[in-house]
Amino acid sequence: MNIKLLESFYHVVIEESFIKAAKKLSVSQPAISSSIKKLEEQLATNLLERSNRGIILTPTGERIFESCKLIFSELDNLEYDLGIDNDIVKGPLKIGTSDEIASYLLANKFKHLTGEFPLTTPEIYTAPAAELLEKLKDGELDILILFYTPSLPEGISERSLFNIRFKGVIKKSLKNKKEILNKLIGDKIIFPSHKKKFSALKKHLKTNKDSKFCISTNNINMHLQMALQGEGITFLPEFIVNPLIKSGKLAVLHPSEKDYYSLKVVMRNSFVPNKAYKKLIELISPS
């Protein structure tokens, strides 16, 4: 079995794209397609299926892919041991973030990341921003990915990655109920920042002058569940609420207002991110 054919197949699966695999291997897209076809002919079976959901592995394709991971991992180990490539990335990736970013933005990125860097082990730690910053400063974490950051300690800096829209939402069946519109679900610590930044929140407070917190928590998943239960209104990232708005469970408050919060990466000034960290940031950023 030709290792080059396996390499083409491996990268098509990792990149979830023939075009991206071709770019990764510095060959043409037809060359990648030809390699996959030859491999399937050699094995007398289909390995991949294309659908609206992207590239899907057949049962045989899954077995071949698992073998490829072992093969290319061993090749990387051999090159590393022989000193052929001293830029091999291996070891833990120590990442701090919030529950919602871990669950909704990062969780589906690690298959790709560990496929490309099989000698790495992502270690994800979720906690309030202040605790994460302490762990970053002490070297227990290498990077943080956050929306909200308090005052940064000396030697720590942040960089904006991209803006994500936040939407005010309420249970759809209660969107005109004044009692529910007056109940705020959020985090009192960052509420002043939201009040200053979010035009939809300003408009809501102006038209609902009796609004007050019914609960304050830094757990965004709790914000979401309480809104779904009809306990009040909350402001959440669109990557969390859009599916629920589309399904008719939540309604958007003041939809004409466009409010954004910056997703940031935070690091020690002395830290140089390796290729795996850089790839993770690339994966979560809009293409």
Side-chain angles (χ1 to χ4, degrees), residues 13 33 79 145 148 159 162 173 182 186 229 254:
V13 177
S33 298
E79 289 180 344
I145 299 172
Y148 170 76
R159 174 170 65 88
F162 58 97
S173 60
N182 282 332
Q229 293 168 23
H254 314 291

Side-chain angles (χ1 to χ4, degrees), residues 170-182 226-233 248-251 253:
I170 186 172
K171 186 173 182 178
K172 189 171 183 178
S173 60
L174 301 174
K175 65 179 181 178
N176 297 317
K177 196 173 178 68
K178 194 71 174 176
E179 176 187 354
I180 306 303
L181 288 166
N182 282 332
M226 291 192 69
L228 286 169
Q229 293 168 23
E231 297 294 329
I233 70 124
K249 293 181 179 179
L250 294 176
L253 300 167

Side-chain angles (χ1 to χ4, degrees), residues 165 167-168 200 252-258:
R165 186 180 175 187
K167 294 179 179 179
V252 182
L253 300 167
H254 314 291
S256 63
E257 302 298 327
K258 303 290 192 294

Side-chain angles (χ1 to χ4, degrees), residues 151-206:
S151 298
L152 297 177
E154 185 177 350
I156 304 291
S157 60
E158 65 180 36
R159 174 170 65 88
S160 293
L161 297 177
F162 58 97
N163 291 327
I164 291 179
R165 186 180 175 187
F166 275 58
K167 294 179 179 179
V169 292
I170 186 172
K171 186 173 182 178
K172 189 171 183 178
S173 60
L174 301 174
K175 65 179 181 178
N176 297 317
K177 196 173 178 68
K178 194 71 174 176
E179 176 187 354
I180 306 303
L181 288 166
N182 282 332
K183 290 183 177 181
L184 300 177
I185 304 164
D187 184 345
K188 282 188 175 180
I189 295 176
I190 63 175
F191 180 75
S193 173
H194 283 182
K195 186 178 178 181
K196 184 177 180 180
K197 289 176 68 72
F198 293 169
S199 58
L201 179 56
K202 292 178 187 177
K203 181 177 285 189
H204 184 80
L205 294 175
K206 187 175 181 179

Side-chain angles (χ1 to χ4, degrees), residues 66-95:
E66 290 302 317
S67 296
C68 283
K69 286 199 290 187
L70 293 174
I71 291 167
F72 291 112
S73 175
E74 286 303 312
L75 284 174
D76 285 343
N77 278 329
L78 180 60
E79 289 180 344
Y80 182 84
D81 290 341
L82 295 176
I84 295 173
D85 184 355
N86 291 322
D87 200 26
I88 293 291
V89 179
K90 62 191 307 184
L93 302 174
K94 299 182 288 184
I95 302 160

Side-chain angles (χ1 to χ4, degrees), residues 28-75:
S28 67
Q29 189 269 326
I32 291 290
S33 298
S34 177
S35 293
I36 300 300
K37 184 179 179 181
K38 288 178 182 177
L39 183 60
E40 289 179 330
E41 288 174 350
Q42 286 184 9
L43 298 171
T45 186
N46 290 335
L47 302 177
L48 303 171
E49 294 177 357
R50 298 196 196 193
S51 74
N52 293 334
R53 293 177 294 165
I55 293 171
I56 299 174
L57 288 170
T58 65
T60 302
E62 290 178 354
R63 289 177 58 194
I64 298 296
F65 178 64
E66 290 302 317
S67 296
C68 283
K69 286 199 290 187
L70 293 174
I71 291 167
F72 291 112
S73 175
E74 286 303 312
L75 284 174

